[in-house]
Amino acid sequence: MEIIQESVSCLSLAQAISEASRCLYCWHPPCVLSCPTGIEIPKFIKRIETEDMRGAAAVILKDNILGGTCGRVCPVEELCEKACVLNQLEQRPVSIGKLQRFAIDSFLTHHHFKPRVKLPSKQKVAIIGSGPAGLSCAATLAKAGIEACIFEKKELPGGLSTYCIPSFREPLEVALREVEEIQNLGVEIQTKKELGRDIELEGLLKEFEAVFLATGLSGSPRLGMAHEEYFLDALQFLSLAKLNPLSLSFCKHIVIIGLGNSAIDCALVAKKIIKANVSIIYRKRLEESPAYPAEIEKLMKETINIQTQSTVTAAVIEENRLIGVYCSQLDDPGCFDKRRRLKEKKEFFLPVDLVVRATGQQKPFWLQKMHIELDEKGFIKVNEKYETSVPRVYAGGDCIRTHGLFSTVHAVEDGKRAAFYIAQSFQKKVFV
């Protein structure tokens, strides 16, 4: 398989300065208000315009330690760039995401993170999960002189950035480079350590002054049909496609179930990296998709078969191999009554080598065994200080998010704020 380059190329210095010069430097910049981590966007853009890349990176990293990742994967069309005042003037918004990526990439080409405060301190915090929330929490604590140790169940750190974000959006080396820089701050990362299997919460509370849970969520729930063992969950598929794409080289026809952001990532990966013929099966109408409009637009540019108001009803297996699926087109497109929508009419067959289940993520089962209070939807319940019902145990990221927009940048902010309140409980000062 060919090596896939990032789909959005990095700006040249001349392009970056030119783009930065378009910023109006608003007195009350709405782009800053729309950034979940509150980056002073006009300030770092001004640094770029004056060719001060180190200063630009410093402005970004003060508020978002994963500025390089977020410059690539943030839904800027829904956040900062959507708020840019140039939109009101019927002009193209400033390319804030590209400028942020340019500033961080330029900085990390010649510099590395360094500990600001001498370690170790008397306080130690255990962090479960090395995704964006865990890394952000650990880095913020480390910068405040508090020892942070991350426990990661997988072989590599970095969470979704390492395993699941498609390489054409964020290459593996970019994700691992940011992890390495955070380790340079003094953060320890222990991999292949899973909560509930290798370590227990009670034991961590004896060794550490606080625990931050940044566990994320598990894969998509099973559909409950025969032969589902031949399907892959969206996270499994994205992980294989990023770390071991040759293992999927047998796939000539792939069906994706779902039409959210993860499903679209799966479809684009199947098309661009696996080089397969791709079909999407979605039980609702296109306009009911929870995906960002910009992601839908990317999907539409590809020749991908999208079957809306349809469901997969049966898998066909021959000689211990998946060869196809039967699908049903739902009746009465305009009806919002779920029972009526599920009334099946037209059946069709799709030849397929692999089905990917991308129908949302479920809560980890072990949460129910930890005696931590959950909300009515099964997410970890926290207060405004990210404290759970168990004293000295905090949580953030996907495992607490019940509604609204949520992406990498929101997880970064969760980790940063949780670190602030953890440090506050130690009577330390952290700038958030």
Side-chain angles (χ1 to χ4, degrees):
M1 290 184 181
E2 65 182 286
I3 297 174
I4 301 297
Q5 303 294 329
E6 288 188 74
S7 56
V8 178
S9 57
C10 187
L11 298 174
S12 66
L13 176 61
Q15 289 171 325
I17 292 173
S18 174
E19 186 64 19
S21 69
R22 297 180 61 240
C23 181
L24 299 181
Y25 303 110
C26 306
W27 186 253
H28 295 292
C31 55
V32 177
L33 296 176
S34 66
C35 174
T37 56
I39 293 174
E40 296 176 275
I41 293 168
K43 193 173 179 179
F44 90 71
I45 288 178
K46 189 64 179 178
R47 299 286 194 278
I48 292 174
E49 190 178 3
T50 56
E51 298 189 42
D52 176 10
M53 302 313 159
R54 186 170 184 170
V59 172
I60 296 165
L61 295 171
K62 177 174 72 67
D63 293 310
N64 186 341
I65 198 70
L66 298 181
T69 288
C70 290
R72 289 172 166 82
V73 306
C74 253
V76 290
E77 301 87 354
E78 301 295 319
L79 298 171
C80 55
E81 292 184 14
K82 185 177 183 179
C84 179
V85 295
L86 290 181
N87 289 304
Q88 299 174 26
L89 301 174
E90 298 185 350
Q91 296 181 34
R92 178 175 61 81
V94 174
S95 299
I96 298 169
K98 289 182 179 178
L99 288 173
Q100 180 170 313
R101 172 187 162 186
F102 173 81
I104 298 299
D105 285 358
S106 300
F107 171 76
L108 290 179
T109 300
H110 304 290
H111 304 87
H112 298 285
F113 295 176
K114 293 179 181 177
R116 291 183 180 178
V117 187
K118 187 177 180 180
L119 295 175
S121 70
K122 291 182 179 179
Q123 291 87 15
K124 297 192 299 181
V125 177
I127 296 169
I128 310 300
S130 65
L135 290 172
S136 174
C137 182
T140 307
L141 291 169
K143 289 193 291 184
I146 297 172
E147 191 174 339
C149 180
I150 297 177
F151 296 94
E152 167 59 51
K153 68 180 180 181
K154 294 193 173 182
E155 185 174 358
L156 296 174
L160 293 180
S161 292
T162 296
Y163 282 93
C164 295
I165 292 178
S167 52
F168 52 78
R169 297 180 67 192
E170 183 181 23
L172 176 63
E173 57 269 25
V174 172
L176 294 180
R177 182 182 63 186
E178 282 195 318
V179 171
E180 188 178 335
E181 294 296 342
I182 288 172
Q183 288 178 295
N184 288 340
L185 295 173
V187 172
E188 178 186 358
I189 300 179
Q190 296 187 24
T191 56
K192 298 182 182 179
K193 297 286 186 182
E194 184 173 2
L195 186 63
R197 188 188 66 184
D198 307 300
I199 48 176
E200 299 292 340
L201 185 59
E202 293 74 14
L204 292 175
L205 286 172
K206 291 177 183 175
E207 186 179 352
F208 296 85
E209 277 66 40
V211 176
F212 177 61
L213 301 175
T215 58
L217 296 174
S218 296
S220 298
R222 293 177 70 87
L223 304 174
M225 67 174 61
H227 307 305
E228 205 172 333
E229 65 272 20
Y230 290 89
F231 296 5
L232 279 183
D233 166 69
L235 299 184
Q236 292 175 309
F237 173 73
L238 291 171
S239 177
L240 283 174
K242 187 161 188 176
L243 299 183
N244 187 15
L246 287 177
S247 67
L248 298 170
S249 59
F250 70 94
C251 299
K252 306 303 179 190
H253 300 276
I254 297 178
V255 162
I256 312 292
I257 302 177
L259 194 54
N261 291 311
S262 295
I264 292 175
D265 271 350
C266 290
L268 295 177
V269 163
K271 182 76 179 179
K272 294 182 176 183
I273 297 179
I274 312 302
K275 306 294 185 186
N277 294 313
V278 185
S279 296
I280 288 179
I281 302 295
Y282 183 50
R283 65 186 179 89
K284 296 183 179 180
R285 296 178 296 187
L286 182 64
E287 57 269 30
E288 295 179 83
S289 164
Y292 300 132
E295 296 301 307
I296 295 282
E297 193 174 321
K298 291 176 188 172
L299 188 66
M300 292 303 176
K301 290 180 180 176
E302 304 292 336
T303 53
I304 291 176
N305 172 34
I306 304 175
Q307 296 282 348
T308 58
Q309 297 166 263
S310 302
T311 60
V312 173
T313 55
V316 181
I317 308 296
E318 277 188 11
E319 298 180 351
N320 202 30
R321 188 172 69 88
L322 179 67
I323 63 163
V325 288
Y326 283 104
C327 305
S328 288
Q329 194 165 35
L330 303 178
D331 191 22
D332 199 353
C335 178
F336 286 89
D337 185 320
K338 186 175 180 180
R339 288 171 298 181
R340 290 183 59 192
R341 288 174 67 101
L342 292 176
K343 184 180 178 183
E344 298 169 359
K345 277 286 186 183
K346 181 181 174 185
E347 191 171 70
F348 58 95
F349 178 81
L350 289 174
V352 64
D353 304 299
L354 179 66
V355 172
V356 179
R357 201 174 52 235
T359 52
Q361 291 180 265
Q362 58 187 343
K363 278 67 69 177
F365 296 118
W366 53 261
L367 278 180
Q368 299 171 4
K369 302 178 181 177
M370 291 181 60
H371 308 294
I372 290 179
E373 187 177 357
L374 306 179
D375 65 16
E376 63 279 3
K377 294 182 179 178
F379 293 89
I380 296 177
K381 191 173 182 179
V382 297
N383 61 18
E384 70 282 0
K385 295 183 178 181
Y386 294 86
E387 294 170 314
T388 71
S389 59
V390 177
R392 298 191 288 124
V393 177
Y394 299 72
D398 282 343
C399 63
I400 69 165
R401 195 67 52 185
T402 58
H403 60 276
L405 277 179
F406 195 67
S407 63
T408 298
V409 69
H410 296 91
V412 171
E413 183 65 6
D414 276 356
K416 190 174 70 173
R417 290 194 168 276
F420 169 79
Y421 289 115
I422 292 170
Q424 191 179 60
S425 72
F426 299 158
Q427 296 183 330
K428 292 269 185 181
K429 289 185 178 179
V430 180
F431 295 98
V432 174

